[in-house]
Amino acid sequence: MRNSFLLVLMQTVCQARSRCQANSMLAAQADRVMALGEWEERWQDDKIGFHQPHVHKMLESNIDKVLAGRTGVRFFFPLCGKAVDMKWLADMGHSVVGVEIAEKAIRQFFEENNMTYSEEPVPTIPGAKVYKSSELNISLYQCDLYSFSSSTEGQFGAIWDRGSLVAINPKDREKYASLIISLMAKDCRYLLDTLLYNPELYKGPPFFVPNDQVQRLFGNSCDVELLQSADALTDRQRGWGLDFLTENIHLIIPKSS
């Protein structure tokens, strides 16, 4: 009995230390703010090292867990950029809705994939536009992400979040999580990509998002599972001053009521 008590105590102490360490590391970036205009400037200046010209390997390797046998799934891409993943999914027969602040990114997506598209205003979001593919079921909204809601396009059966949660200002994460949860249909499967590194060495973005914060953000209403972890350190990140970078993929599913 005494040994069991000591084991539980040690586990509790280790967990508390781990939380304290994570909170300390989060504090290093807590006040970091990127204005929407700064993101648009990055696109205008072609400073888009975050863009990948190929389908994300972790999406490919986990797509069966996201689809779960379903066809014709409605995918949501927050802060979509010009991700080629969108066309890859649409080519499979799924529909895609994305949100992106930079008009250049949206136009480049269609043009680089040799797709024709229409452009029209969004009555429910002042100043917003929606660009729709003529060939595939892809609609991309040019607007502030927080102006978008389920009243715009309903809820979704899947979400692919690569470069979104890690890009928003750290102070906005709870607001972001609330929006994402509101966009999740009952059968939604949300694939989330996060990064672990020493935030005292690099100010971001992309920002450091520890696993326990993912649990805190989504765990009350969703089941959270860590599917995959991989060493993602390249010369680009070494140039930021980092000595390690771990990429994590989480599967987040609404809890059954």
Side-chain angles (χ1 to χ4, degrees):
M1 179 72 77
R2 183 171 181 273
N3 287 343
S4 297
F5 172 77
L6 289 175
L7 180 60
V8 171
L9 180 61
M10 289 175 63
Q11 290 175 335
T12 303
V13 170
C14 288
Q15 289 170 353
R17 285 178 177 172
S18 177
R19 283 194 296 270
C20 287
Q21 183 181 27
N23 288 337
S24 175
M25 295 177 79
L26 282 169
Q29 296 179 335
D31 297 326
R32 179 82 168 101
V33 173
M34 281 278 290
L36 291 179
E38 291 180 75
W39 286 111
E40 291 182 283
E41 285 176 13
R42 287 194 177 196
W43 279 99
Q44 288 300 326
D45 297 338
D46 290 322
K47 294 179 179 178
I48 53 170
F50 48 82
H51 172 70
Q52 293 189 356
H54 49 75
V55 177
H56 197 288
K57 290 181 180 179
M58 286 183 164
L59 174 61
E60 285 184 311
S61 61
N62 291 288
I63 189 61
D64 288 344
K65 294 184 177 69
V66 177
L67 296 178
R70 299 173 297 168
T71 58
V73 176
R74 296 187 74 234
F75 273 82
F76 179 61
F77 276 64
L79 307 187
C80 61
K82 57 176 181 177
V84 296
D85 305 359
M86 296 189 287
K87 185 176 185 298
W88 182 67
L89 289 166
D91 281 338
M92 282 192 246
H94 306 296
S95 60
V96 172
V97 173
V99 173
E100 170 59 48
I101 191 62
E103 180 182 14
K104 183 177 180 179
I106 294 174
R107 292 189 183 277
Q108 283 186 347
F109 168 76
F110 289 114
E111 291 162 4
E112 291 174 6
N113 287 289
N114 299 311
M115 299 165 64
T116 56
Y117 61 94
S118 62
E119 170 188 342
E120 57 191 68
V122 183
T124 56
I125 307 176
K129 297 178 185 177
V130 59
Y131 298 77
K132 296 182 179 181
S133 165
S134 304
E135 295 88 5
L136 294 169
N137 201 341
I138 301 175
S139 299
L140 304 184
Y141 285 78
Q142 185 206 352
C143 64
D144 180 350
L145 179 63
Y146 300 114
S147 297
F148 189 87
S149 69
S150 58
S151 64
T152 311
E153 276 278 356
Q155 294 180 313
F156 298 90
I159 299 172
W160 171 222
D161 186 332
R162 184 261 162 187
S164 186
L165 178 60
V166 298
I168 64 155
N169 296 326
K171 66 181 181 63
D172 292 332
R173 284 179 188 162
E174 289 187 3
K175 179 170 70 169
Y176 178 90
S178 295
L179 172 62
I180 293 296
I181 291 168
S182 75
L183 295 174
M184 297 173 75
K186 290 181 180 179
D187 65 344
C188 184
R189 301 176 79 84
Y190 169 30
L191 200 64
L192 170 65
D193 185 355
T194 59
L195 300 172
L196 301 179
Y197 61 84
N198 183 351
E200 294 179 353
L201 299 178
Y202 177 66
K203 65 180 182 178
F207 296 111
F208 162 77
V209 181
N211 295 345
D212 64 336
Q213 188 176 44
V214 174
Q215 183 66 45
R216 288 198 303 272
L217 289 171
F218 298 100
N220 285 340
S221 57
C222 300
D223 293 320
V224 180
E225 177 186 1
L226 178 62
L227 292 182
Q228 189 176 356
S229 293
D231 178 4
L233 187 67
T234 68
D235 288 341
R236 179 170 179 253
Q237 288 84 34
R238 290 188 185 96
W240 300 346
L242 297 183
D243 50 9
F244 79 93
L245 178 70
T246 301
E247 188 171 12
N248 285 338
I249 294 291
H250 313 261
L251 182 63
I252 302 174
I253 303 171
K255 291 179 179 178
S256 53
S257 52

